Amino acid sequence: GRQVPFLLDMEHASMAAVAALQELLSVRAFVAMIQDLLQLPNGSVRRKALTLMQARLAQLEAEGHSKRHAPEDVEVYMSMVPELAQIVVGEEETTADRQTAIFTLDVLARSFGAARAAQFFELVDRLPDVLNALMDAAQGDERGATASFAELETSPLQGAMVLLMGTIISRSKLKAIRQLKKIVPSIL
């Protein structure tokens, strides 16, 4: 009984400390910390780590610093794309983890997608298949008289995937034409 609130308080306190310290970390140290946190089995910690990354990128984007990053810092941030993509396409991941990874990728795409479009194309090539699988699962669930929990759970995930594809395409402009032939049918 009493141990659970204590553990939750410890988790909140440690995440608050990490949030306060993250501003003092270099980009390389910050991303290394996020990668370490993503290896933990606790989904809550993983989502909070991604939320910290989103917040840091969004703050830089709001301040207009994303265009002035040192090339090595951009590389470090972009090194997260494959790991985040694996969370998004991983069927064993929870919907919350997948959606948080999608939002983090969206911030990365907004910040660096114009200059680094090619680093997102492998993900864009894989997302329509994942989106189609989610839609097939939802259609299978619609056979009953009422909508199932699984159908309700996948709908926000599908929307987030479509928005991510739109962000990547809008940032990469003409570089994304090759991907359109696969993306458009899955959206329609």
Side-chain angles (χ1 to χ4, degrees), residues 61-188:
E61 182 183 40
E63 294 171 358
H65 292 165
S66 59
K67 291 180 177 47
R68 292 183 285 185
H69 273 310
E72 58 272 8
D73 288 348
V74 175
E75 275 305 315
V76 171
Y77 280 126
M78 293 302 293
S79 72
M80 291 292 297
V81 171
E83 189 169 353
L84 294 169
Q86 191 56 44
I87 294 171
V88 171
V89 301
E91 292 179 18
E92 68 283 350
E93 300 288 346
T94 66
T95 299
D97 287 348
R98 292 170 86 182
Q99 198 163 3
T100 306
I102 289 170
F103 293 142
T104 306
L105 283 163
D106 191 74
V107 176
L108 280 169
R110 286 194 322 257
S111 298
F112 308 118
R116 305 289 181 130
Q119 288 179 271
F120 290 99
F121 287 164
E122 182 181 338
L123 173 64
V124 170
D125 284 342
R126 294 171 72 188
L127 281 178
D129 295 332
V130 175
L131 186 59
N132 288 334
L134 289 171
M135 291 168 57
D136 290 346
Q139 287 175 352
D141 292 335
E142 288 176 359
R143 286 179 250 170
T146 61
S148 71
F149 179 76
E151 178 186 356
L152 296 173
E153 188 175 30
T154 57
S155 181
L157 188 58
Q158 291 168 346
M161 284 183 185
V162 170
L163 288 174
L164 174 60
M165 288 189 287
T167 299
I168 293 170
I169 289 170
S170 72
R171 295 297 180 185
S172 58
K173 304 201 186 317
L174 290 177
K175 300 171 199 165
I177 288 177
R178 177 176 69 85
Q179 277 70 26
L180 287 177
K181 66 183 175 192
K182 188 170 183 180
I183 293 171
V184 173
S186 69
I187 293 173
L188 297 176

Side-chain angles (χ1 to χ4, degrees), residues 10 21 29-30 108 133 166 177:
M10 286 291 287
L21 291 174
F30 173 74
L108 280 169
I177 288 177

